[in-house]
Amino acid sequence: MQLQVMNSPFNQEQTELLNRLLPTLTETQSLWLSGYLAAIQSSSLQAAPAVEERPAPAAAPAIPKEVTILFGSQTGNAQNLAKKAGKTLEERGFQVNVSAMSDFKPNNLKKVKNLLIVVSTHGEGDPPDNALTFHEFIHGKRAPKLEDFRYSVLALGDSSYEFFCQTGKDFDKRLEELGGTRITPRVDCDLDFEEPAAVWAEAVLAGLSEGESSCPSPAAASVSAAAPAESVYSRSNPFRAEVLENINLNGRGSNKETRHLEISLEGSGLTYQPGDSLGVYPENDPELVDLLLAEMNWDPVEAVRVKEETVTLKEALSSHFEITVLTKPLVEKAAKLSGNEELHQLVSDSSRLKSYIDGRDLIDLVRDFKPWSSSAQEFVSILRKMPARLYSISSSFEANPDEVHLTIGAVRYDAHGRERKGVCSILCSERLQPGDTLPVFIQHNENFKLPENPETPIIMVGPGTGIAPFRSFMQEREESGAEGKSWLFFGDQHFVTDFLYQTEWQKWLKDGVLSKLDVAFSRDDDEKVYVQHRMQENSRELFQWLEQGAAVYICGDEKNMAHDVHNTLIDIIEKEGGMSREQAVEYLADMQKNKRYQRDVY
């Protein structure tokens, strides 16, 4: 649609400029511009002097609009963004209720007039654990027709997965089907979510502010003033932390390499609780970077722009961009820089493209579809920002002030004729030495926390590196003198070489900090035994613990282990509780709703 001088308030020159600019804007840029213009208009209206002073008419004072923000979060990103949006709206005079989807009563939905959804997508297009019940309600027959209802969705995801931001898309579509009207269009965020999330929040604020009072209420001002001071370091401003120790936990002859890192947080002001994660920004393997530079015949010291910064091409490829993962959006953008007909055919075939990107990286792409005529600047401009790696913290801050410990398994495998390496895990295992530094931040996770009551029994299931958060649990309980019973199920390949933190667990067991320990080492016998088998062997006692109010925690691989453990829990509840399958499923769902069943899975 073209602007015309006759149907707009702009002159000829302004109209021509706008007609050149507007068609080039992305959806995110359009949203930002809308919010920006609305904010300017709002500020101008507030600053406008009164024409004459006269007594205000007798009318009810303006009441800030009520807004409900619901989040579905697995690692804490969606929750943090929801809270941030809520704080911003409160400061602008809105009455805001921020809640996890699992804590929101679905029947109250018909009472809500303004709803903001902030939700991540977990696994292969699945809702996070604390969004399951609400997602099921919304898509069920009991979902109400929504009249005079406005909403907007912020979706978080990872574009390397096929069902990118699927949960957010599900909510967005369903709320429209139920009669809702969008405050502003849904925004889908990749791993680098902070900027598009801020754009979405501004657009939401502009949409909600239409016709509403934007002056902060006294209550909102007092809440803001009382907010505790936070560390200046965050995901967008990581702390450069010194590595104190870097130890291989596996014994000689093991098929695995698991690194134990001790990192100093001194001077950062960063704190954490058991269950939180540490975000680490890694650097790409120098050999892989040199290989890419040689393949493209690029000059390593050529200057390129990365946002507002100018760096060498080698630094950009080493620290700023992801080069080990192919995504559908990346290959599609690359095709626009190439005249290679085979690449264009690949992009046009979704099935072939999905198969191609699995297990391949940027080196494969540039080798397979030569020649490339684009400049280095054009090429790096299509790359995805280096995403942070999140690792479950394996220490208690109370027991280790100003330190944080990590348990990281080195990732190495072969695919498509080449050896592949995990970016961060191999940095830690092969190149990181004590005295080196890492850019880090704390990722708080309210969805994986010790019970508030220290007397509550806990059952921990964490094979392999899934042991990490449970080491922090035990350190915390030992430090605080918590008296609740604790039971660990741990598994790995071999007892002799792979029993991570063995002496610590045996000491906690001896001292009574840990009440019960069951282990499964799958390669020590002819028949493979895993943690779920040990749970089945102890089914009667395990169910007794559940009946006594025990909280269950699972950490580790989602696709296999967590799925098997989940089904095993249902089997045990069904058998020992004398329930039907449906009743057992409901029993576990109630535990999850009451925060007695929590998972940190990946």
Side-chain angles (χ1 to χ4, degrees):
M1 178 178 176
Q2 291 282 307
L3 284 173
Q4 302 293 333
V5 176
M6 65 187 70
N7 66 4
S8 74
F10 304 106
N11 61 35
Q12 182 68 42
E13 182 180 2
Q14 291 172 324
T15 301
E16 291 175 357
L17 287 170
L18 286 170
N19 281 331
R20 288 202 297 271
L21 172 65
L22 293 176
T24 68
L25 296 181
T26 65
E27 183 179 1
T28 298
Q29 290 169 331
S30 299
L31 284 170
W32 186 92
L33 186 60
S34 299
Y36 176 74
L37 294 174
I40 291 177
Q41 183 178 14
S42 176
S43 299
S44 300
L45 290 173
Q46 292 178 49
V51 176
E52 60 178 278
E53 292 191 13
R54 62 179 64 181
I63 300 175
K65 185 179 285 291
E66 294 182 356
V67 180
T68 296
I69 305 179
L70 298 182
F71 61 83
S73 182
Q74 197 73 34
T75 64
N77 287 330
Q79 180 172 359
N80 293 337
L81 289 173
K83 288 183 175 180
K84 187 175 182 180
K87 183 178 179 181
T88 299
L89 288 171
E90 283 183 340
E91 290 171 349
R92 295 297 297 270
F94 292 92
Q95 294 177 346
V96 184
N97 175 35
V98 181
S99 170
M101 292 181 183
S102 56
D103 295 333
F104 180 76
K105 294 182 179 179
N107 289 336
N108 286 339
L109 182 61
K110 55 189 174 185
K111 301 177 184 177
V112 173
K113 297 302 179 184
N114 294 294
L115 176 66
L116 304 181
I117 294 281
V118 185
V119 66
S120 61
T121 294
H122 193 53
E124 298 297 326
D126 300 321
D129 287 350
N130 66 354
L132 286 168
T133 302
F134 188 65
H135 185 271
E136 182 180 350
F137 171 82
I138 279 288
H139 289 83
K141 295 180 179 179
R142 296 177 61 193
K145 292 297 181 183
L146 301 174
E147 300 175 357
D148 191 24
F149 174 90
R150 299 197 298 168
Y151 73 96
S152 187
V153 175
L154 179 67
L156 306 186
D158 181 344
S159 60
S160 65
Y161 285 84
E162 180 181 3
F163 300 102
F164 174 57
C165 288
Q166 188 60 50
T167 303
K169 294 174 182 177
D170 290 345
F171 276 117
D172 186 48
K173 179 182 178 183
R174 183 57 175 160
L175 289 172
E176 180 184 39
E177 291 173 349
L178 294 173
T181 302
R182 292 180 183 83
I183 299 168
T184 190
R186 184 189 76 248
V187 170
D188 297 334
C189 302
D190 205 346
L191 298 179
D192 185 16
F193 56 77
E194 289 193 322
E195 186 175 328
V199 170
W200 173 80
E202 284 295 325
V204 165
L205 180 59
L208 289 171
S209 296
E210 294 177 3
E212 297 300 320
S213 169
S214 58
C215 299
S217 67
S222 64
V223 169
S224 178
E230 297 181 356
S231 170
V232 297
Y233 297 103
S234 63
R235 175 184 286 268
S236 57
N237 181 35
F239 175 67
R240 200 85 200 184
E242 181 182 355
V243 177
L244 304 174
E245 293 283 355
N246 186 352
I247 303 166
N248 184 6
L249 293 175
N250 297 97
R252 184 176 300 174
S254 174
N255 296 322
K256 295 187 172 185
E257 181 181 355
T258 309
R259 310 303 299 192
H260 170 78
L261 267 65
E262 297 183 4
I263 300 169
S264 173
L265 296 178
E266 187 175 359
S268 68
L270 293 169
T271 62
Y272 60 87
Q273 295 179 335
D276 289 342
S277 297
L278 188 76
V280 179
Y281 284 106
E283 292 186 354
N284 286 311
D285 188 335
E287 292 184 7
L288 200 61
V289 173
D290 290 342
L291 195 61
L292 181 59
L293 289 167
E295 198 69 41
M296 297 294 283
N297 197 27
W298 283 335
D299 181 357
V301 297
E302 179 181 342
V304 293
R305 296 283 292 175
V306 180
K307 289 195 173 180
E308 304 303 317
E309 187 180 2
T310 300
V311 299
T312 67
L313 178 57
K314 185 167 185 175
E315 182 182 348
L317 294 174
S318 297
S319 305
H320 292 272
F321 295 111
E322 180 180 65
I323 63 173
T324 57
V325 175
L326 289 183
T327 66
K328 181 180 177 182
L330 172 60
V331 179
E332 289 173 341
K333 291 174 184 176
K336 294 178 181 179
L337 300 178
S338 170
N340 189 303
E341 184 58 32
E342 187 181 350
L343 178 57
H344 285 272
Q345 291 176 359
L346 177 67
V347 167
S348 66
D349 187 332
S350 296
S351 179
R352 279 186 60 212
L353 179 57
K354 178 185 175 183
S355 176
Y356 177 80
I357 64 178
D358 184 30
R360 287 186 169 89
D361 62 13
L362 196 58
I363 295 290
D364 296 309
L365 181 70
V366 300
R367 281 178 171 173
D368 291 345
F369 300 103
K370 291 180 178 180
W372 299 89
S373 57
S374 57
S375 68
Q377 180 65 68
E378 288 174 324
F379 205 93
V380 298
S381 296
I382 70 172
L383 300 181
R384 188 164 70 164
K385 178 183 174 182
M386 174 73 80
R389 270 58 173 181
L390 293 179
Y391 294 102
S392 300
I393 293 173
S394 55
S395 58
S396 158
F397 190 81
E398 294 299 319
N400 304 273
D402 286 334
E403 285 187 18
V404 60
H405 300 174
L406 298 180
T407 309
I408 302 176
V411 176
R412 299 181 180 91
Y413 60 97
D414 290 322
H416 306 292
R418 278 178 48 214
E419 182 186 14
R420 315 287 167 155
K421 299 179 179 181
V423 177
C424 195
S425 68
I426 299 305
L427 165 65
C428 294
S429 66
E430 296 182 358
R431 307 195 302 277
L432 195 67
Q433 302 295 325
D436 292 343
T437 60
L438 285 173
V440 303
F441 62 92
I442 298 296
Q443 176 77 36
H444 297 294
N445 186 2
E446 298 301 323
N447 305 311
F448 200 78
K449 283 287 174 281
L450 279 166
E452 292 183 8
N453 184 351
E455 296 182 0
T456 300
I458 60 173
I459 299 171
M460 303 166 286
V461 184
T465 56
I467 197 72
F470 305 134
R471 181 175 183 263
S472 75
F473 280 17
M474 289 296 96
Q475 287 188 357
E476 184 81 3
R477 283 199 152 191
E478 181 178 38
E479 193 73 15
S480 65
E483 297 182 355
K485 296 188 298 182
S486 56
W487 188 351
L488 173 70
F489 290 91
F490 172 75
D492 215 313
Q493 291 188 353
H494 299 284
F495 173 82
V496 174
T497 59
D498 305 321
F499 194 166
L500 306 182
Y501 305 111
Q502 178 183 356
T503 56
E504 292 184 22
W505 290 110
Q506 290 176 333
K507 183 179 183 299
W508 281 323
L509 192 62
K510 178 182 177 182
D511 295 344
V513 179
L514 180 66
S515 309
K516 190 173 174 62
L517 173 65
D518 281 281
V519 295
F521 294 98
S522 60
R523 307 292 173 85
D524 281 347
D525 296 305
D526 293 336
E527 185 177 349
K528 291 185 178 180
V529 178
Y530 298 108
V531 286
Q532 63 267 25
H533 300 131
R534 297 297 184 222
M535 293 170 66
Q536 289 169 337
E537 292 169 3
N538 291 271
S539 64
R540 179 174 297 180
E541 185 176 1
L542 197 152
F543 184 70
Q544 288 173 351
W545 279 49
L546 297 185
E547 288 289 270
Q548 293 165 8
V552 178
Y553 299 87
I554 301 174
C555 182
D557 167 59
E558 182 198 24
K559 288 187 178 179
N560 299 306
M561 183 278 298
H563 177 77
D564 292 340
V565 168
H566 180 85
N567 287 332
T568 298
L569 280 170
I570 295 174
D571 290 341
I572 290 171
I573 294 166
E574 180 183 7
K575 172 188 172 185
E576 303 297 342
M579 304 179 194
S580 66
R581 191 70 177 178
E582 292 75 15
Q583 289 171 326
V585 169
E586 184 63 29
Y587 185 102
L588 193 57
D590 285 341
M591 285 183 58
Q592 192 168 45
K593 184 176 181 180
N594 294 318
K595 297 182 171 58
R596 288 180 50 215
Y597 178 42
Q598 300 182 26
R599 307 193 310 161
D600 180 7
V601 294
Y602 38 85

